[in-house]
Amino acid sequence: MQSIEFLWKDRKRHLGLPLSFTRYSLSEDRLFYERGLLNLKADEVLLYRVQDLELTMTLGQRIFGVGTVCVHSSDKSIPHLDLKNVKNPREVKELIHRSVEEAKNRRRMRATELLGREDGPSCHEEDDLDFIPEEDGGDDLD
């Protein structure tokens, strides 16, 4: 079995500390999302499908040195992925941007830029404080 080499890895942070079971990672061609301790949910977005990146940093996030990178893609299973409370969010957004461009160049894709994305949820529509743990009613610790 071939091992995946990651360009970046981080966890969702609470109060600036990686005390979470939500993990994010970036490889040469995919962005991975993994959540859970006992019940694991894993998903991935192919980088060539990414249409837009967005960065938000609330006052609370800025205090703790974290931010949210929103990834909008044409992927059917996960069209909107929020990388919540990641450290150095500006650098992460730029790294993802460069990786997306390289993935599209490898596939010789440019026509997709002319296609608009559907109006889905935006990072700005959330009114909660991102550094406070979410209450999702799930059976996991995150």
Side-chain angles (χ1 to χ4, degrees):
M1 185 171 168
Q2 182 179 340
S3 177
I4 299 173
E5 187 175 324
F6 293 110
L7 304 173
W8 168 80
K9 287 196 243 185
D10 200 1
R11 289 179 180 261
K12 180 179 176 182
R13 295 169 180 265
H14 299 285
L15 303 176
L17 301 172
L19 305 173
S20 172
F21 296 106
T22 301
R23 294 166 294 283
Y24 310 113
S25 50
L26 176 69
S27 74
E28 185 177 288
D29 61 343
R30 293 176 285 177
L31 181 61
F32 297 91
Y33 162 79
E34 198 171 278
R35 178 181 177 166
L37 175 65
L38 301 175
N39 297 318
L40 185 67
K41 178 186 177 189
D43 211 339
E44 63 187 57
V45 174
L46 295 169
L47 291 180
Y48 76 88
R49 292 183 178 258
V50 172
Q51 295 175 332
D52 192 24
L53 296 170
E54 186 178 347
L55 172 66
T56 58
M57 294 175 68
T58 64
L59 177 60
Q61 287 177 316
R62 289 176 28 212
I63 289 171
F64 291 106
V66 297
T68 300
V69 178
C70 305
V71 179
H72 303 279
S73 73
S74 61
D75 193 300
K76 298 294 182 199
S77 65
I78 187 162
H80 179 85
L81 174 62
D82 285 342
L83 308 179
K84 291 186 178 184
N85 298 337
V86 294
K87 190 175 179 179
N88 303 319
R90 287 183 177 95
E91 290 85 1
V92 171
K93 180 180 175 268
E94 192 58 35
L95 177 62
I96 294 171
H97 171 73
R98 285 193 306 268
S99 299
V100 165
E101 291 302 312
E102 289 171 10
K104 287 182 179 183
N105 285 337
R106 279 193 298 276
R107 289 182 163 264
R108 294 180 175 89
M109 295 181 65
R110 286 292 138 215
T112 57
E113 292 179 356
L114 301 175
L115 301 174
R117 67 174 172 86
E118 297 176 14
D119 287 329
S122 173
C123 293
H124 302 294
E125 292 177 8
E126 295 183 23
D127 227 8
D128 61 322
L129 298 174
D130 289 330
F131 63 92
I132 297 174
E134 299 172 356
E135 295 295 326
D136 60 0
D139 54 350
D140 221 323
L141 298 176
D142 189 28

